[in-house]
């Protein structure tokens, strides 16, 4: 939607050695865009269906439901994969699939399509707002498809990643499991209404809004923000924020106990060990 700005920004980040990725529906990827994306670390394309009718039912309200969006996304991924192979890049092309009552029968088919067009990770998620909860019968069908993917499709390159526990409901995957939110001190979300929201999962008029970027500058909004009142937030949260906030809570407790210098030493040791593991 903002092609020139996004492509220039990505080039700038890559040129300065910053790991870069993008989440997209994949509909606007063309050859020119592919030449830029081939240089970043990952592209995650939200597919969420294997059938065009299902895709349109979920995503195309007000759009042309006769157009074959699935085919276009597949063709665009093939274009991107061709550019990746041509440049011998390390780009990971990933698929995001949010399981719900409309698409739960198409998971295995979508995974097969994804593997055939060069996708690296097939990422399954559930609706954390619990709007489309699956009953036991549907969860069993999902579980069977997950097992089939693991046995029949996974190999040294193509992998299934369960971001949430799809085949069974796990309380910690849905409920907020922390008392203080630290993660919103690190990033926020700019929504289409021009407002800056404290959480990327709830960037809407009912979410926690920091300010309006159409009438105020980013710095003044960000620096005036102190912390989120969790009473204003939904009771559900994604697994990443649950883990990250609990980790950061522990980090703050250690910092308050040992002081800045000792804490920095601990962080440096952790980073050093992590680099060793990666190598």
């Amino acid at each position: 939607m903002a092609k020139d700005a996004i492509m220039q920004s990505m080039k700038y980040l890559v040129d300065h050695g910053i790991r870069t990725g993008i989440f997209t529906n994949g509909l606007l990827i063309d050859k020119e865009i592919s030449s830029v994306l081939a240089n970043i670390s990952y592209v995650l394309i939200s597919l969420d269906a294997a059938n065009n009718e299902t895709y349109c039912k979920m995503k195309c309200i007000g759009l042309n439901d006769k157009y074959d969006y699935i085919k276009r996304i597949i063709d665009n991924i093939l274009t991107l994969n061709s550019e990746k192979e041509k440049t011998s890049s390390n780009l990971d092309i990933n698929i995001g699939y949010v399981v719900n009552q409309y698409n739960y029968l198409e998971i295995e088919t979508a995974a097969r399509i994804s593997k055939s067009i060069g996708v690296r990770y097939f990422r399954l998620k559930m609706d954390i707002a619990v709007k489309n909860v699956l009953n036991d019968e549907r969860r069993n069908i999902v579980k069977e498809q997950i097992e089939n993917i693991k046995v029949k499709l996974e190999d040294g390159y193509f992998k299934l990643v369960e971001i949430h526990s799809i085949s069974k409901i796990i309380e910690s995957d849905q409920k907020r499991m922390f008392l203080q939110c630290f993660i919103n001190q690190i990033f926020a979300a700019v929504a289409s209404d021009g407002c800056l929201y404290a959480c990327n999962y709830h960037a809407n008029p009912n979410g926690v809004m920091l300010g309006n970027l159409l009438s105020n500058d980013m710095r003044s909004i960000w620096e005036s923000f102190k912390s989120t009142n969790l009473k204003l937030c939904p009771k559900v949260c994604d697994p990443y924020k649950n883990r990250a906030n609990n980790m950061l809570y522990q980090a703050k407790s250690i910092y308050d106990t040992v002081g800045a210098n000792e804490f920095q030493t601990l962080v440096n040791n952790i980073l050093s060990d992590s680099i060793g593991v990666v190598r």
Side-chain angles (χ1 to χ4, degrees), residues 55-71:
Y55 187 92
C56 290
K57 183 183 296 184
M58 293 190 299
K59 300 192 173 191
C60 299
I61 297 173
L63 300 178
N64 181 8
D65 60 3
K66 304 300 180 183
Y67 186 83
D68 196 337
Y69 295 96
I70 295 290
K71 182 180 184 303

Side-chain angles (χ1 to χ4, degrees), residues 16 36 42 46 58 79 90 108 152 175 182 191 205 227 229 232 238 252 261-262 266 271 277:
H16 287 76
V36 176
Y42 66 88
S46 301
M58 293 190 299
T79 298
N90 293 317
E108 187 176 349
K152 299 177 181 178
K175 289 188 177 180
F182 295 92
S227 64
N229 180 356
L232 301 176
D238 65 282
K252 184 178 185 300
N261 292 335
E262 184 65 23
L266 292 171
L271 291 174
V277 170

Side-chain angles (χ1 to χ4, degrees), residues 252-266:
K252 184 178 185 300
S253 298
I254 295 170
Y255 179 92
D256 291 341
T257 301
V258 304
N261 292 335
E262 184 65 23
F263 182 79
Q264 185 63 59
T265 300
L266 292 171

